[in-house]
Amino acid sequence: MGSGIWSTNVYDAAASYRAATGASAFAYSDGGATAVHEDLDPFGVTVRESRDSDEHPESLALAVLFDVTGSMGNVPRTLQSKLPDLLGLLMRKGYVEHPQILFGAVGDATCDRAPLQVGQFESDNRMDDDLGRILLEGGGGGQMTESYELAMYFMARHTAMDCLDKRGKRGYLFLIGDELAYPKVKAREINKIIGGEQVEDIPFAAIVAELKRKYDVYFIIPEGAYYSADDRLADFWRTQLGQNVIRLDDLDAVCETIALTVGLAEDAVDLEEGLDHLREFGSGAGSSVSRALAPLNSRRGAVAVSAMPTGLDPADTEVTRL
Amino acid sequence: MTANVIVVDLGYGDAGKGTVVDWLCARGPYATVVRFNGGAQAAHNVVTTDGRHHTFAQFGSGTFTPGVVTHLSRFMMVDPLALAAEADHLAAVGVGDALDRLTVDRDALLTTPYHRAANRARDTALRHGSCGMGIGETAAYALVCDDAPRAGDCHSPARLRRRLMRLRERLFDELGPLEVPDVEECAAAFGAFAGRARITGDGYLPGLLRAGPAVFEGAQGVLLDERFGFHPYTTWSTTTFAGAETLLAEAGDGARRLGVLRAYLTRHGPGPFVTEDPGLLRPEPHNRHGRWQGAFRTGQLDAVALRYALEVCGGADALAVTHLDAPAPLICEAYDLGARIAPAADLTGQALLTDRLLSARPRYSPVGADAAGTIEAALGVPVALRSCGPAASDKTAVSIWTRTDFSRRAIA
């Protein structure tokens, strides 16, 4: 029992919270780490798995990988503070009942200490721990190219998920960045960073096609990153991913954008309803999300519930997910 | 066998839960303290071996041990203003990262300056031992209004302002104008809280429990429980093991149940206290006369009341007895009521019980030299921890945790 020993003055409290800078959410990176955390190191990883369980009988895999190189500026820090809300957003309105979320980071395999970092698919807030362990590379190439192709190779060949294996339903992959990919997945980099005995380079278009058989792939370009205004960027990704390129003018809205994109694709909601939900949550992100997703919404077509037959390149099909 | 432990006070509070939780965390293997009832009115005093002192209200009493995290579950009422002041004091005594080690369930109710002002306005009329912190108001408002402010709202400024506005209006309608900060200021402070503390959703606590065993730290005491306490001298909170066990069951986990008591009895404020003995008054460095709560009272051991507490909370696996350096000389084995005291079905029945207790007289026998042994025999529950002072170094564990009869309640 007590007697209200701590001050409840509203001004003191506000000042105190403002003054408390606290440990960075990127505690691992800011603690002076210079190498990929062992939990996120892709080397030697056979598969990262998203599996059904008693608790989550119909799991749905959702991966978010973001660029952590210098050209992204403070974007990774903003993402890190926003992404933990993603699970709650997806589940609250029933867009997805049992999401399992993986976070990862993309760097530049030609010169970075952390060219690829990949956590686990998690259905609870342990994914936050993965976020906290991501090494913020900074640096980067300066040639408007990062090793997205390596990350996409990993996601295509080194992930496994029950939503696809058991129900023929693809997962979702969101890449967030401001640069182009290299034209080939280099065998040498695969062997060095992921491990294995890959003998031939893989053309980028081939790995994209392979990846799209497993995932609905989206590329989010945040405003404010170094190259985000460069048209070559959007053009490059549109060539690969069609309409699944999202320009986002308010990074604070990243969670809402991802959640609504999934909600739309799952046919759980339409854009108007989704924007209503955002207002209901008290989110001010509605207008940004609306601008970001309007192109997707207007091209919305049939919702595929089964994976593409093997060998059929989804880029060539009329069946879109949105 | 699970290693989680629930720490609950079997009396009227003030038995030393804080010091027990501190000891458990200092010894390991606990890396997490989960709060599962009450709110900022808790005052769990912990003194470190090097003499630092903190009164834990919302942070877990294990916070002096580096790395130990606190989770405020959805059964907690969170007061972001008091939390800031508490974090500041912890920083002043060398714990600078308390807020970094805090998570708050988004469904936890918020205690606001409006609740607090309403509490004080009402309590000048009706005194029943409230702490003046707005805890009862917080619980009461949430019962009648389904838009009571919750921790998760702090991330949604518009909704938070709307909910605070409605709360303030309703209380003003009921009680007239109160002296309170305006909604914008309050919302700004709560928003800053959300920017600093980590607010979590479903599934977080189960994950935390999978990562390692936790101490569930109760607040107040079983004899103040909202249903089983002596009405109306109770708290608006379930003070038994129930809340913790609900959270554990959701996580598919279980825990040992540890009941804490002093080697004498205490009570803050008015209400029945059959074994009250002002002559027993001991120096209380950390428990003072509260402006809203009333006097700090002491009394002889009361096996009747403690057995009642054990009965209504479903029993304990073990006891922790504090203040064994100055045990009560007498223990009450029976009242002159001619009947067993037993929980009633409803609050009217509990109020009748209260009336009977107010006129009950104790029948004493001597405690003897072995106070812990006397308590163990009187309550039929083994003593697992003996404490003779405020610091962790003043405590002795009895090897009860490995006794075979102890596992009867533990969940495999």
Side-chain angles (χ1 to χ4, degrees):
Chain A
M1 277 307 277
S3 43
I5 183 159
W6 305 118
S7 157
T8 53
N9 183 302
V10 65
Y11 307 104
D12 294 349
S16 171
Y17 283 124
R18 275 196 298 272
T21 51
S24 160
F26 274 112
Y28 177 69
S29 197
D30 293 345
T34 55
V36 174
H37 192 285
E38 58 177 5
D39 291 351
L40 303 177
D41 191 346
F43 190 82
V45 171
T46 316
V47 280
R48 296 285 200 230
E49 293 175 290
S50 163
R51 296 297 186 199
D52 296 345
S53 63
D54 289 346
E55 214 181 334
H56 302 289
E58 287 215 358
S59 60
L60 180 64
L62 198 163
V64 181
L65 279 80
F66 53 94
D67 183 341
V68 287
T69 58
S71 68
M72 288 278 276
N74 264 331
V75 167
R77 284 182 190 274
T78 309
L79 289 176
Q80 203 273 355
S81 69
K82 297 291 167 193
L83 289 174
D85 297 332
L86 182 55
L87 185 71
L89 269 174
L90 285 167
M91 293 172 69
R92 273 222 163 163
K93 281 293 170 190
Y95 295 170
V96 183
E97 207 171 343
H98 300 290
Q100 295 193 334
I101 305 182
L102 169 150
F103 290 125
V106 179
D108 188 334
T110 60
C111 54
D112 283 352
R113 297 166 299 175
L116 181 60
Q117 307 177 67
V118 202
Q120 299 278 7
F121 285 100
E122 302 282 9
S123 32
D124 57 41
N125 286 51
R126 273 173 298 176
M127 66 185 74
D128 297 7
D129 299 338
D130 284 346
L131 273 173
R133 292 181 189 123
I134 283 176
L135 183 70
L136 293 190
E137 182 64 47
Q143 69 285 59
M144 201 173 159
T145 319
E146 302 292 357
S147 299
Y148 299 107
E149 75 291 345
L150 190 67
M152 294 166 97
Y153 168 87
F154 183 93
M155 295 307 291
R157 301 261 177 107
H158 290 271
T159 60
M161 47 203 171
D162 276 349
C163 56
L164 185 65
D165 297 351
K166 290 190 179 170
R167 291 178 289 284
K169 183 168 174 47
R170 288 178 295 172
Y172 292 92
L173 169 63
F174 289 85
L175 294 163
I176 307 174
D178 71 335
E179 301 192 49
L180 315 182
Y182 286 96
K184 283 178 181 175
V185 196
K186 297 185 200 74
R188 185 176 48 79
E189 288 175 359
I190 293 171
N191 297 338
K192 181 177 160 220
I193 293 158
I194 300 171
E197 293 178 352
Q198 180 71 28
V199 289
E200 282 180 18
D201 293 351
I202 306 168
F204 184 61
I207 205 66
V208 170
E210 191 176 327
L211 181 67
K212 286 201 286 194
R213 287 198 285 275
K214 275 178 115 159
Y215 292 93
D216 250 9
V217 185
Y218 295 85
F219 197 90
I220 297 179
I221 302 171
E223 296 296 318
Y226 192 75
Y227 296 114
S228 51
D230 193 318
D231 282 341
R232 282 178 295 166
L233 182 65
D235 290 347
F236 172 82
W237 287 106
R238 281 214 180 90
T239 309
Q240 306 300 330
L241 304 176
Q243 79 270 33
N244 288 4
V245 177
I246 299 170
R247 300 189 90 122
L248 188 58
D249 61 12
D250 177 7
L251 202 60
D252 282 353
V254 69
C255 265
E256 288 91 338
T257 302
I258 292 175
L260 269 199
T261 303
V262 174
L264 291 169
E266 289 291 301
D267 222 6
V269 69
D270 65 30
L271 187 58
E272 271 314 305
E273 271 177 286
L275 295 174
D276 279 346
H277 290 161
L278 294 187
R279 278 188 286 275
E280 201 179 305
F281 290 141
S283 165
S287 59
S288 295
V289 176
S290 167
R291 279 193 295 283
L293 297 189
L296 292 185
N297 195 49
S298 64
R299 304 234 351 223
R300 190 143 181 256
V303 175
V305 291
S306 61
M308 294 301 135
T310 310
L312 176 61
D313 184 348
D316 298 329
T317 172
E318 285 305 306
V319 181
T320 63
R321 299 270 305 177
L322 280 160
Chain B
M1 182 193 290
T2 176
N4 300 314
V5 58
I6 314 172
V7 177
V8 154
D9 185 321
L10 295 175
Y12 296 105
D14 295 312
K17 290 177 294 294
T19 184
V20 168
V21 171
D22 170 57
W23 180 84
L24 287 167
C25 291
R27 297 233 325 185
Y30 307 101
T32 304
V33 177
V34 179
R35 290 288 310 274
F36 61 92
N37 70 330
Q41 93 281 32
H44 299 170
N45 288 291
V46 174
V47 178
T48 63
T49 42
D50 57 8
R52 291 174 292 156
H53 166 243
H54 180 77
T55 303
F56 287 95
Q58 297 187 79
F59 287 99
S61 297
T63 303
F64 273 122
T65 302
V68 169
V69 302
T70 296
H71 179 67
L72 306 183
S73 73
R74 69 174 190 275
F75 297 131
M76 263 287 279
M77 293 173 243
V78 178
D79 185 332
L81 305 185
L83 190 71
E86 190 183 348
D88 287 347
H89 184 265
L90 277 166
V93 294
V95 184
D97 64 343
L99 281 170
D100 298 309
R101 291 195 261 139
L102 179 81
T103 50
V104 182
D105 190 287
R106 66 171 179 230
D107 288 330
L109 288 168
L110 293 175
T111 297
T112 71
Y114 313 115
H115 296 110
R116 199 158 26 245
N119 177 187
R120 292 177 182 197
R122 262 193 253 274
D123 228 26
T124 39
L126 168 76
R127 305 293 318 240
H128 76 279
S130 136
C131 295
M133 293 289 290
I135 302 301
E137 288 288 340
T138 307
Y141 183 81
L143 283 181
V144 294
C145 299
D146 56 10
D147 67 342
R150 294 178 188 268
D153 298 335
C154 297
H155 275 312
S156 307
R159 186 175 47 184
L160 175 66
R161 275 197 298 273
R162 193 173 66 237
R163 291 187 161 191
L164 290 174
M165 203 83 81
R166 202 164 307 163
L167 164 68
R168 183 174 176 277
E169 273 166 22
R170 287 183 74 122
L171 293 175
F172 276 28
D173 286 349
E174 218 178 308
L175 298 163
L178 302 165
E179 209 175 300
V180 288
D182 72 38
V183 165
E184 283 307 320
E185 283 157 357
C186 188
F190 284 18
F193 153 72
R196 189 65 182 81
R198 201 165 121 207
I199 296 172
T200 63
D202 300 343
Y204 178 74
L205 181 58
L208 204 54
L209 294 178
R210 278 194 293 275
V215 180
F216 285 73
E217 180 176 3
Q220 293 87 43
V222 172
L223 295 179
L224 294 169
D225 182 79
E226 57 186 341
R227 281 172 58 222
F228 300 118
F230 306 130
H231 187 72
Y233 307 102
T234 58
T235 180
W236 278 77
S237 172
T238 298
T239 59
T240 63
F241 297 98
E245 297 205 315
T246 300
L247 296 168
L248 284 157
E250 287 167 3
D253 211 332
R256 292 156 162 160
R257 299 147 62 99
L258 183 63
V260 186
L261 61 145
R262 282 196 194 209
Y264 54 96
L265 226 61
T266 66
R267 171 156 207 165
H268 250 124
F273 194 170
V274 177
T275 61
E276 180 167 18
D277 186 345
L280 211 61
L281 202 62
R282 283 146 156 101
E284 273 294 323
H286 307 311
N287 286 303
R288 289 178 298 270
H289 183 100
R291 175 171 168 205
W292 299 97
Q293 199 177 12
F296 186 72
R297 305 151 73 192
T298 48
Q300 306 286 353
L301 274 169
D302 187 344
V304 181
L306 291 167
R307 279 188 210 123
Y308 171 88
L310 283 166
E311 181 184 343
V312 300
C313 74
D317 295 306
L319 302 174
V321 184
T322 66
H323 295 76
L324 275 168
D325 48 331
L330 299 174
I331 181 166
C332 168
E333 293 276 3
Y335 297 162
D336 63 356
L337 290 172
R340 201 173 70 88
I341 68 164
D346 54 27
L347 290 184
T348 316
Q350 288 298 106
L352 288 172
L353 177 59
T354 302
D355 285 343
R356 289 171 59 213
L357 291 180
L358 286 169
S359 60
R361 295 287 166 272
R363 296 193 181 165
Y364 288 122
S365 40
V367 165
D370 177 15
T374 303
I375 290 166
E376 194 169 89
L379 302 184
V381 182
V383 173
L385 174 65
R386 300 163 188 239
S387 171
C388 291
S393 54
D394 300 323
K395 290 168 178 55
T396 319
V398 185
S399 60
I400 180 72
W401 302 112
T402 54
R403 270 196 210 173
T404 46
D405 64 345
F406 172 68
S407 61
R408 71 199 145 82
R409 288 205 53 94
I411 296 163

